[in-house]
Amino acid sequence: MDMKTEILRLLRESGDYISGQEFCRRFGVSRTAVWKAVNQLKEEGYGIEAVQNKGYRLRSNPDVLSSSELKSRIQNQWAGNRIYFYEETGSTNIDAKRLGEEGAEHGTVVVADKQSAGRGRRGRSWQSPAGKDIYFTILLRPPFLPGKAAGLTLVMALSVAQAIEGACSLKTGIKWPNDVVLNGKKICGILTEMNVETDYIQHVVIGVGINVNLDVMPEEISRTATSILLESGRETARAELLQEVLARFEENYGMYERDLDLRDMLEEYNGRLVNLGKQVRVLDPKGEFEGIARGIDASGELLVETQDKNTVRVYAGEVSVRGMYGYV
Ligand code: BTN
């Protein structure tokens, strides 16, 4: 961590004044060097007050998304240990895939404040304006077979749902396989892409878009999508939420890698499943059908009970489901 990032972390953690002298001693630098670093933080939007004989204090917890903010917060074993932050990029998934080709390590995270060509599933685009939402992609190098990768998307959906509950105290649901839902509308989408060599995973990238502080939903998606701000009336510090997502993901991924299935997350996932017990239409390329969603099994497949009481297992990689009465 560089000095500026470390100063930020110390101020946030203490919540009180820390003297300039203390920083000088700790980093072995001059007062001017400390003052310069503090000024840079101010320019990035932090309210830092300087009081004579007391020192510096971090006044507010603004919604700053920057390299220092993220690095000063994220202290996981591997998830987000290496962060690439861009004010603007095309798509963090594309960046992460490039880093994957270049040999970047497991857990590398790309974050952007804005995407000019954000991508959604099924060739759709993902609107990604600046200063409002979270767009990030994590690069993984799982040791398991490609067939197990689809489950990772569900692991991420659960991690995002848990993190929103932890950081924003809001109870979110999951629409199978991987949309996170608040009050029946989508607030998070996940796009997983994989690079496979015969039966070996080169790398997987999981891209996550969370509608956080968006105050006006674009007309064309307002029926099915919303944001944390619109539902709760409160702004969320994006870095704090992202920190929480990565911490949860690291923990959940650990269980998935150990068990090679979702057994230890099953109960919680199904507890959040908004499709549970609902009539769904399964858009299977081999033939569409309807049934009642009965939850997922440990492999992440959705169990759908058809009218003739057969249970069909629906694989997350190939099909999607539609609610019969609107988005959920
Ligand atoms: C969906 O269609 O539901 C998936 C949307 C995924 C959007 C995220 S934003 C960060 C990452 N970069 C992209 O270009 N897409 C994903």
Side-chain angles (χ1 to χ4, degrees), residues 91-93 115 118-121 126 136-137 186 189-190 207-209:
S91 154
T92 55
N93 267 32
Q115 295 184 121
R119 299 157 69 218
R121 278 179 297 156
W126 185 262
F136 82 93
T137 301
K186 176 164 167 170
I190 301 175
V208 182

Side-chain angles (χ1 to χ4, degrees), residues 8 11-12 15-17 42 45-51 56-62:
L8 179 60
L11 287 175
R12 186 186 306 111
D16 202 354
Y17 288 97
K42 283 187 188 167
Y46 296 98
I48 297 178
E49 52 181 329
V51 175
Y56 299 105
R57 189 169 72 106
L58 187 60
R59 212 180 297 133
S60 49
N61 185 22

Side-chain angles (χ1 to χ4, degrees), residues 90-94 115 117-122 124-126 128 134-137 178-179 186 188-191 206-210:
S91 154
T92 55
N93 267 32
I94 292 181
Q115 295 184 121
R119 299 157 69 218
R121 278 179 297 156
R122 292 167 211 289
R124 287 190 285 251
S125 63
W126 185 262
S128 314
I134 293 178
Y135 320 109
F136 82 93
T137 301
N178 54 20
D179 285 353
K186 176 164 167 170
C188 167
I190 301 175
L191 177 65
I206 306 183
V208 182
I210 310 178

Side-chain angles (χ1 to χ4, degrees), residues 169-227:
S169 309
L170 294 168
K171 183 86 188 155
T172 54
I174 299 173
K175 176 177 179 282
W176 184 86
N178 54 20
D179 285 353
V180 181
V181 170
L182 194 53
N183 300 335
K185 290 182 172 183
K186 176 164 167 170
I187 50 164
C188 167
I190 301 175
L191 177 65
T192 299
E193 297 177 88
M194 186 163 45
N195 187 328
V196 178
E197 263 171 36
T198 36
D199 53 1
Y200 154 81
I201 301 180
Q202 259 286 341
H203 59 253
V204 177
V205 302
I206 306 183
V208 182
I210 310 178
N211 302 337
V212 184
N213 295 325
L214 209 62
D215 43 6
V216 189
M217 267 295 137
E219 171 73 31
E220 62 278 18
I221 54 173
S222 62
R223 199 181 59 83
T224 53
T226 187
S227 72

